[in-house]
């Protein structure tokens, strides 16, 4: 790709408009007559969402996108406005008004708090932005060093960056303090690779940055971290400008940190929001949980019910009134004002009055309770001592409490590899030389650190006797010491013998397992001392320094999957050492050697180790000359350079002798494999998204048992796409179809075992192909394949690609709930993209933690977080939501039914105090306690049986089925309450002294039954009775009784009507009332008891019973 | 956010995180308390067929006898009801009902004869019943001023707005104001026993003890006026539809006059449903073995003041004895018997299910 585009560039036939020209140091170049300073965006970073000006409207808009908030606003307006405008509404309200206005304020207060907290958060973001934007950087201007604020950097400025500083924008490296024109950079915060990467200066610019006169043409900013195309024109003394091509190796990315280099100079090419890092990050959007969506759906249903109830009542009212004598009998005349009001206005206000009367069906208090539940409930996560990690002395951190229940709904887990699954800490485990296994134990316990655990020779002494074995060993170790691109950190004194105890010596390499190998060799007595002017020095076992002249490095590339070095020893021998993946080495060595090693390699791979095979070859001077010339020629080639180099590599890396194999362990995080297994057992699909190489990632997947030996791997990589005679796109198409057939269309049995490997470059083809070749089903195909695999591995992902994958899955059919786990800044975009983002409090800074919804110290904590906490939270909140809708339905239904018996006159059945207190005091605490403490299955049980997690998958408790059940239950209860009492009141003389009860007694009896029934219903549902539950449930019933006595026992001077005066006490003095309350409560609870009893105890229940 | 990635050094500055839950203080192990670790000791009841079964039987066994008892009690209550509205032309009150006008000085009186076939042994409670009378209409229910009724002097002369349009008569405020008071039931019912000799004897009706004690003694109070009600109400007008002012409701008994008139208090307790009954008088049981109301012929003398035909209402007289559960109502008995039987039947069904399930359960357990 890059080549092709470069060709296009140099060919000049397709001059792209979307390129930018940068004048280094803002110096006009001779070629251009007029110097027009181009306009680019400044280096300011804006991550905040609002400004002072747009905060209120924008935030309000976002708030009212929630249906509930909008509804409450409307109801509030109706209630407040109505009291000034419409009479009938006003009177209804004044009937219910007592606390009503105050409770209507409640959501408004709540809203204000929400808005304030969001404002505060945004202020914090502003502060963080400012901190970054005001960071001092050094700019070279006309030979002087000037301190500037970071935000003032302009494209074209030449900057100086010191060691361990972060680059403030994307720079082209011009000058390095290192002699060889390189600098080392770590991009941990960008792509999670913590190793050091080498970047190169543009040739011819190192010396004279101050007077450099050059322009840079490069492409417009794009998010791909590994892609950069540009060229530099260097003007010298009116000579013809020299042209240098620029690639990603010249570009230093914002966010990366300079390492092991004193300082560098570079010219800014992309600034501010156009840097690759900024393009890779997305704003934090408000996440809403699936429960919240369900609530909204239910809310709509209840809104419909509410509106239809109001409509029915309004209609009936006018039907009823049309009968002569009904509308205005002599005993009940209208006021003058009522008579004068327009009939249609009356109808409208009647409708509004009914809305107000029934509006309790939409539980305002539910939102308050849900928020409280989430807020308080999230403390259990941060309190959990199982999440406490003694190493970092921290527990879990909850950043958003909105998503607690989402943890119980996860279907896809996207995990980062480096730092998340693995500790990113390579360790040399064992090697195998000539079929003998050498396992490193403790250097001190053995004379030379070797321990032969199998093979023909069992003791060192015996082994030493066989010269050939020792020779092979030494050859192998030399190969390990020579065949790499590791650099030694720190200064080495030439020729001085260094004691071999320098374990802590710093090595720098682009791949951590190279370091592990060199360190491994060091333990066995061969220490790599460093590379100095093409000479590699090795300290051997006898403390002699061996010198090798490094002739060529045949670089590693993912297609060949091996690398080689050609060295010349002092004795003049020319040797080629090669190491690489078994699959790429075995065909290139003498076959008789292979079998001995293959067994070891395979076993090591099964253990999850990363294996490499090492081979060597003697080169005769003639051979070497041939190779040397071939390589030189290829390197100078202008066209197809890579292909030509490859051909030479392949030519020389044949007929080698296999010496042995190594096994390096990429240390997994504690219990990573167990965690992954548990997640898979819970029916969660685990996708590994990593920026790392495929081989590395694959071995990790094997190690943590995401991939198993007997499973089929479907690979989709650049390598598998290389197919003779076909364009990549066609091949991709074929492969996709083939895999699709395998996974989707073929039998169900097989597909559960397939895994998928995807490579970043391929992915971008998959995702972008749609526009290119009209085969827009690539993405769907790909998705279908992946979704049918048990686990998916995506390698070489740029941060944005990770987010794209997450987004793709998130938006796929059924919109599954996704969770992203990561520890580095490169995971931030996927953490933000997923429904739930989990940050690991790892070593790579705090980016991920800060952007996550939950942060845990270790990956292993994910298991408990999902299986126990997530499960419980989901069950709790789902029950909370259903219960709230239920209890308000059976609260309001009698009120609605009463309208049929009072001429649809909006007469409330219950007293205002009851109407208000019902949700606030009488029934809110038990459900809150339930939703905080319920453990329908114990935590241990949940952790033991991961499959339990599947029971609540797909929002099982908040689907329409359960909703319908609860609604029907509410309707049934409402009917029982109302008509039970209605039958009783066919003769209202219920006291033993013949006195009769009135309408408030009716309401109070219904209300008493109601409060007791809904509370006892909750008691029936409670599986986990702590003392708090007991206290709250019985306490709130007692409080109801106490309150009723109290409320009815006093003539309240502030009340206009003493409606409930001694109503409750009189009710209790009537035996009939007692009897009806008891029988109706029992009747209401019967179906519930039956349901609980008849529900088949599922696995864990049955076991619990048995236990 | 991304901006902060500049500073690798800022390890743990502010939490840009959302509102809540950043509970753990740094470097501190969470407390190992049962509460925080969600390990509070808990009772974990599991309702199974086995544990619920006995409860069902017990409930069934308790409820059915109670239900039967209630049903019998209700059946033993004697109740007599007669409609005296005068809708049909052969009804004695037909003329009164038809020729009703508000402004009559001469009340219309009609007499209804009826026969009790069974004697009413204990105290008999005399109710008037109204049908299709919406005492629970919102406009009606709220149309009162409890402050005024409680003797508040300021409310007496300036009643609550809720009383509209029965708040003021001209410029003078009405006492008691509001629609409820205005429509006070004002038929006078007198009951005579016609014995076998055709001699007529009036049955003494007790008009006290028909209202809730708390209403009469606390909630309703006459305005202070040194014992002279006429004086106390001097600045007020009588309700529009009343024939006489409130202080003449029972001129003979100052304890039953004005706002604390029991008929008035009973009326002011608005009924729950459009068909209702209100206690009118009590016929005390005489000492000795004679029934309160022996079987025989009776004569009800009605001073017909209360029009109901305009809204298609009905008026009834109800004579009823009372048991410990109140008036006659078979509903409770039936409800208890029904629920009791349901529980019992469910108990039987559950027993069968439990039996079967148990077998399955044990057989399923053996292989595992």
């Amino acid at each position: 790709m890059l080549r092709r585009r470069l060709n296009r560039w140099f060919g000049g036939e397709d001059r792209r408009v979307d390129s930018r020209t940068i004048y280094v140091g803002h110096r006009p170049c001779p070629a251009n007559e007029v110097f027009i300073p181009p306009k680019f965006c400044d280096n300011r970073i804006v991550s905040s969402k609002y400004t002072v000006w747009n905060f209120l409207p924008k935030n309000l808009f976002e708030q009212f996108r929630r249906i509930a908030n909008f509804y409450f606003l409307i109801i509030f307006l109706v209630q407040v406005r109505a009291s000034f405008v419409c009479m009938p509404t006003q009177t209804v309200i004044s009937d219910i008004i007592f606390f009503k206005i105050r409770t209507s304020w409640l959501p408004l207060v709540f809203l204000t708090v929400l808005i304030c907290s969001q404002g505060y958060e945004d202020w914090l973001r502003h502060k963080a932005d400012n901190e970054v934007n005001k960071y001092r950087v050094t700019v070279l201007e006309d030979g002087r060093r000037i301190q500037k604020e970071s935000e003032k950097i302009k494209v074209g400025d030449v900057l100086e960056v010191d060691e361990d500083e972060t680059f403030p924008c994307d720079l082209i490296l011009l000058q390095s303090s290192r002699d060889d024109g390189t600098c080392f950079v770590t991009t941990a915060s960008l792509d999670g690779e913590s190793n050091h990467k080498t970047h190169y200066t543009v040739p011819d610019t190192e010396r004279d940055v101050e007077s450099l006169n050059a322009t840079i043409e490069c492409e417009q900013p794009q998010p791909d971290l590994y892609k950069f195309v540009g060229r530099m024109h260097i003007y010298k003394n009116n000579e013809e400008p020299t042209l240098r091509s620029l690639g990603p190796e010249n570009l230093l990315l914002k966010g990366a940190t300079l390492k092991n280099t004193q300082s560098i100079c570079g010219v800014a090419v992309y600034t501010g929001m156009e840097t690759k890092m900024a393009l890779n990050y997305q704003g934090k959007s408000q996440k809403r949980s699936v429960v919240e969506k369900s609530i909204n759906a239910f809310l709509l249903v209840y809104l419909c019910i509410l509106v239809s109830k109001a409509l029915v009542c309004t209609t009936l009212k006018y039907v009823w009134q049309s009968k002569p004598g009904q509308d205005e009998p002599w005993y009940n005349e209208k006021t003058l004002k009522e008579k004068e009001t327009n009939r249609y206005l009356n109808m409208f206000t009647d409708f509004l009055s009914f809305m107000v009367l029934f509006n309790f069906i939409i539980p305002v208090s539910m939102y308050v309770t849900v928020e409280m539940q989430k807020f308080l409930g999230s403390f259990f996560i941060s309190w959990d001592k199982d999440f406490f990690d003694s190493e970092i002395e921290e527990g879990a951190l909850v950043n958003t409490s909105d998503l607690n229940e989402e943890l119980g709904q996860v279907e896809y887990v996207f995990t980062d590899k480096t730092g998340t699954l693995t500790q990113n800490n390579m360790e040399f485990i064992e090697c195998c030389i000539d079929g003998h296994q050498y396992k490193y134990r403790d250097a001190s316990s053995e004379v030379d650190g070797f321990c032969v655990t199998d093979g023909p020779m069992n003791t060192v002494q015996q082994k030493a006797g066989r010269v050939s074995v020792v020779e092979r060993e030494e050859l192998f170790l030399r190969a390990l010491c020579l065949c790499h691109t590791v650099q030694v950190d720190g200064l080495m004194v030439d020729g001085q013998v260094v004691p071999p105890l320098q374990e802590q010596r710093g090595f720098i390499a682009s791949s951590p397992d190279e370091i592990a190998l060199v360190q491994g060799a060091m333990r066995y007595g061969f220490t790599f001392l460093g590379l100095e002017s093409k000479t590699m020095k090795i300290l051997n076992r006898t403390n002699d320094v061996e010198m090798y002249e490094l002739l060529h490095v045949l670089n590693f590339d993912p297609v060949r999957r091996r690398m080689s070095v050609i060295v010349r020893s002092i004795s003049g021998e020319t040797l080629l050492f090669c190491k690489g993946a078994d699959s790429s080495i075995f065909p290139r060595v003498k076959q008789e050697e292979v079998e001995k090693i293959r067994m070891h390699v395979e076993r090591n791979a099964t253990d999850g180790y990363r294996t490499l095979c090492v081979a060597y070859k003697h080169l005769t001077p003639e051979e070497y000359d041939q190779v040397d010339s071939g390589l030189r020629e290829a390197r100078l080639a202008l066209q197809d350079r890579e292909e030509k180099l490859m051909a030479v590599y392949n030519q020389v890396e044949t007929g080698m002798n296999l010496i042995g194999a190594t096994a390096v362990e990429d240390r997994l995080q504690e219990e990573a494999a167990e965690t992954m297994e548990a997640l898979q057992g819970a029916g969660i699909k685990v996708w590994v998204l990593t920026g790392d190489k495929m081989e590395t990632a694959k071995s990790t997947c094997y190690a943590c048992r995401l991939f198993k030996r007997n499973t089929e791997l479907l690979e989709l990589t650049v390598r598998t796409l290389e197919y003779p005679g076909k364009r990549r796109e066609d091949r991709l198409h074929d492969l996709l179809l083939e895999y699709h057939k395998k996974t989707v269309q073929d039998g169900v049995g097989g597909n559960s075992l397939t895994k998928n490997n995807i490579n970043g470059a391929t992915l971008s083809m998959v995702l972008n192909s749609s526009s290119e070749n009209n085969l827009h089903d690539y993405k769907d195909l790909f998705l279908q394949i992946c979704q049918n695999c048990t686990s998916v591995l995506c390698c070489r992902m740029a941060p944005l690609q990770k987010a794209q994958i997450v987004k793709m899955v998130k938006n796929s059919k059924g919109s599954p709930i996704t969770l992203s786990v990561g520890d580095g800044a490169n995971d931030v975009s996927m953490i933000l993209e997923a429904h739930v983002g989990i940050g690991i409090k790892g070593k790579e800074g705090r980016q991920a933690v800060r952007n996550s919804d939950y942060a845990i110290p270790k990956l292993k904590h994910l298991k408990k977080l999902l299986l126990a906490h997530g499960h419980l939270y989901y069950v709790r909140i789902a029950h909370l939501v259903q219960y709230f809708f239920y209890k308000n339905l059976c609260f309001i239904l009698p009120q609605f039914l009463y309208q049929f018996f009072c001429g649809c006159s909006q007469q409330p059945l219950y007293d205002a105090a009851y109407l208000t207190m019902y949700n606030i005091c009488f029934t809110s605490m038990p459900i809150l306690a339930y939703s905080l403490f319920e453990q329908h299955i114990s935590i241990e049980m949940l952790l033991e049986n991961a499959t339990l997690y599947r029971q609540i998958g797909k929002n099982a408790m908040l689907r329409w089925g359960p909703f319908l059940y609860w609604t029907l239950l509410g309707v049934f209860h409402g009917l029982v309450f109302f008509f039970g009492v209605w039958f009783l009141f066919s003769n209202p003389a219920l006291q033993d002294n013949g006195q009769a009860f009135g309408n408030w007694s009716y309401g109070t009896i219904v209300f008493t039954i109601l409060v007791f029934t809904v509370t006892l219903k909750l008691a029936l549902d409670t599986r986990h009775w702590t003392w708090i539950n007991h206290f709250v449930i019985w306490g709130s019933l007692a409080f109801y009784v106490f309150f009723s006595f109290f409320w009815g026992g006093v003539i309240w001077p502030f009340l206009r009507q003493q409606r409930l005066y001694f109503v409750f006490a009189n009710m209790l003095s009537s035996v009939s009332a007692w009897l009806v309350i008891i029988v109706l409560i029992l009747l209401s609870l019967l179906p519930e008891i039956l349901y609980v009893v008849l529900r088949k105890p599922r696995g864990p229940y049955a076991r619990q019973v048995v236990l | 956010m991304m901006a902060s990635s500049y500073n690798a050094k800022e390890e743990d500055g502010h939490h840009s995180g959302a509102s809540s839950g950043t509970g753990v203080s740094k470097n501190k192990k969470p407390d190992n308390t049962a509460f925080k670790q969600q390990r509070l000791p808990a009772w974990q009841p599991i309702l199974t067929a086995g544990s619920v079964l006995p409860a069902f039987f017990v409930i069934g066994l308790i409820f059915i006898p109670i239900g039967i008892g209630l049903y019998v009690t209700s059946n033993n209550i004697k109740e007599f009801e007669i409609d005296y509205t005068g809708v049909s032309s052969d009804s004695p009150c037909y003329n009164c009902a038809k020729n009703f006008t508000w402004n009559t000085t001469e009340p219309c009186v009609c007499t209804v004869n009826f026969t009790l076939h069974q004697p009413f042994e204990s105290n008999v409670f005399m109710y008037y019943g109204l049908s299709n009378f919406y005492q629970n209409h919102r406009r009606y229910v709220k149309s009162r001023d409890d402050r005024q009724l409680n003797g508040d002097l300021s409310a007496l002369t300036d009643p609550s707005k809720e009383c509209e349009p029965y708040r003021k008569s001209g410029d003078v405020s009405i006492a008691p104001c509001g629609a409820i008071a205005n429509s006070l039931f004002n038929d006078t019912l007198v009951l005579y026993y016609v014995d076998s000799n055709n001699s007529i004897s009036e049955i003494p009706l007790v008009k006290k003890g028909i209202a809730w004690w708390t209403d009469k003694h606390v909630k309703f109070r006459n305005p202070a006026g040194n014992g002279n009600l006429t004086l106390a109400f001097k600045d007020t007008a009588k309700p529009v539809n009343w024939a006489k002012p409130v202080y003449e409701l029972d001129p003979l008994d100052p304890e039953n006059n004005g706002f604390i008139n029991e008929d008035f208090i009973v009326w002011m307790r608005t009924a729950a449903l459009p068909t209702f009954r209100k206690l009118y008088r009590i016929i005390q049981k005489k000492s000795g073995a004679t029934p309160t109301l022996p079987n025989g012929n009776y004569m009800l003398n009605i001073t017909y003041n209360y029009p109901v035909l305009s809204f298609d209402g009905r008026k009834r007289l109800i004579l009823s004895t009372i048991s410990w559960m109140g008036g006659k109502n078979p509903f409770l008995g039936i409800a208890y018997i029904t629920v009791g039987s349901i529980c019992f039947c469910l108990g039987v069904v559950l027993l069968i299910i439990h039996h079967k399930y148990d077998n399955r359960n044990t057989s399923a357990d053996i292989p595992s």
Side-chain angles (χ1 to χ4, degrees), chain A residues 132 168 254 906 940 1056 1072, chain B residues 3 6 39 138 162 325 336:
Chain A
V132 167
K254 178 189 168 85
Q906 300 124 24
E940 292 77 29
R1056 244 183 264 159
S1072 293
Chain B
Y6 264 119
R39 290 186 197 289
R138 197 199 79 244
E162 306 279 1
M325 56 171 282
Y336 266 79

Side-chain angles (χ1 to χ4, degrees), chain B residues 89-133:
Chain B
S89 50
D90 57 341
S91 152
C93 292
Y94 177 71
N95 280 329
C96 285
K98 214 180 91 187
N99 303 328
F100 178 82
T101 47
W102 280 109
N103 305 317
T104 44
T105 44
E106 195 61 32
C108 179
V109 179
C110 54
T111 307
V112 178
N113 296 310
F114 62 91
T115 313
L116 291 183
H117 299 291
Q118 283 178 312
F120 283 39
E121 300 287 347
S122 55
N123 285 351
V124 176
F125 294 77
M126 188 171 165
Y127 298 89
Y128 57 90
L130 291 174
S131 296
N132 203 28
F133 189 102

Side-chain angles (χ1 to χ4, degrees), chain A residues 435-448:
Chain A
H436 309 309
Q437 191 187 21
Y438 295 82
K439 196 163 200 146
Y440 179 75
R441 278 192 192 152
D442 201 344
S444 58
S445 67
E446 295 280 340
V447 185
D448 56 358

Side-chain angles (χ1 to χ4, degrees), chain A residues 225-507:
Chain A
L225 289 181
Y226 306 108
K227 231 186 237 177
F228 175 72
V229 176
R231 59 178 173 176
M232 190 182 222
H233 301 262
I234 301 167
Y235 304 92
K236 268 185 201 158
N237 312 327
N238 294 328
E239 285 171 28
E240 188 62 20
T242 28
L243 203 63
R244 297 285 168 211
S245 69
L246 305 175
E249 71 276 5
N250 305 113
L251 186 70
L252 304 172
L253 299 178
K254 178 189 168 85
T257 314
L258 187 64
K259 291 283 178 192
N260 294 92
T261 313
Q262 277 181 341
S263 72
I264 58 111
C265 284
V267 57
V269 283
Y270 303 130
T271 50
M273 301 309 283
E274 290 180 346
T275 56
K276 287 192 184 281
M277 186 183 83
L279 291 173
N280 262 297
Y281 286 87
Q282 316 152 306
K284 198 171 187 171
S285 64
Q286 242 184 340
K287 292 180 180 178
R288 293 166 63 205
S289 75
V290 65
V291 168
E292 207 173 313
K293 284 173 201 154
S294 301
I295 294 179
N296 273 342
F298 298 165
L299 194 73
L300 278 177
V301 172
Y302 272 73
L303 264 179
C304 291
I305 295 178
L306 171 66
V307 170
S308 51
K309 270 184 178 178
L311 277 176
V312 165
C313 281
T314 317
T315 319
L316 279 178
K317 176 172 182 169
Y318 284 86
V319 168
W320 182 78
Q321 283 182 354
S322 66
K323 273 196 276 172
Q326 297 285 51
D327 184 24
E328 214 182 343
W330 65 265
Y331 59 86
N332 191 12
E333 280 171 9
K334 290 178 183 172
T335 59
L336 214 60
K337 208 169 162 189
E338 278 171 312
K339 282 180 190 164
E340 279 166 358
T341 333
N342 180 296
R343 183 182 160 86
Y344 295 99
L345 185 65
N346 257 334
M347 276 182 166
F348 180 66
T349 51
D350 275 329
F351 175 73
L352 285 187
S353 316
F354 280 117
M355 291 279 282
V356 172
L357 185 66
F358 299 143
N359 88 74
F360 294 91
I361 202 176
I362 309 283
V364 187
S365 55
M366 182 178 78
Y367 285 84
V368 182
T369 316
V370 164
E371 286 306 318
M372 276 172 72
Q373 191 268 349
K374 286 180 169 178
F375 176 74
L376 297 174
S378 56
F379 279 108
F380 284 120
I381 293 180
S382 43
W383 279 339
D384 196 321
K385 72 173 162 50
D386 291 350
F387 292 159
F388 185 78
D389 189 70
S390 46
E391 241 173 75
I392 55 170
E393 300 221 304
E394 272 181 68
L397 179 75
V398 181
N399 285 330
T400 339
S401 52
D402 283 347
L403 299 169
N404 293 344
E405 67 275 6
E406 207 82 334
L407 294 172
Q409 290 294 305
V410 176
E411 289 168 67
Y412 286 87
V413 166
F414 297 94
T415 166
D416 177 41
K417 186 192 74 71
T418 319
T420 308
L421 281 178
T422 67
Q423 297 177 342
N424 201 22
N425 189 1
M426 303 289 175
E427 203 174 330
F428 185 87
I429 294 295
E430 60 178 45
C431 58
C432 148
I433 304 168
D434 266 354
H436 309 309
Q437 191 187 21
Y438 295 82
K439 196 163 200 146
Y440 179 75
R441 278 192 192 152
D442 201 344
S444 58
S445 67
E446 295 280 340
V447 185
D448 56 358
F450 267 112
C451 169
V452 184
T453 51
D454 70 357
M457 299 299 149
N458 272 337
T459 62
V460 184
Q461 285 75 19
Q462 279 175 308
K463 184 184 68 199
R466 297 251 324 236
V467 179
S468 68
V469 173
V470 176
E471 258 176 19
R472 296 290 278 188
E473 272 176 29
E474 292 191 341
L475 185 66
F476 177 78
L477 293 172
R478 276 190 195 104
L480 289 188
C481 281
L482 294 173
C483 183
H484 55 72
T485 53
V486 173
Q487 282 164 321
V488 177
D489 189 18
L491 294 166
M492 299 292 296
V493 183
D494 195 10
Q496 191 186 322
V497 177
V498 185
L501 44 90
Q502 287 203 331
E503 289 260 341
Q504 57 273 67
R505 172 187 317 192
F507 291 110

Side-chain angles (χ1 to χ4, degrees), chain A residues 49-64 111-119 122:
Chain A
K49 239 158 114 185
Y50 313 107
T51 64
V52 180
W53 308 111
N54 69 10
F55 174 70
L56 211 61
K58 202 172 162 185
N59 191 287
L60 276 180
F61 174 73
E62 280 178 14
Q63 295 297 340
F64 290 129
L111 199 68
T112 319
V113 171
L114 262 180
I115 290 175
C116 287
S117 75
Q118 286 180 1
D122 206 56

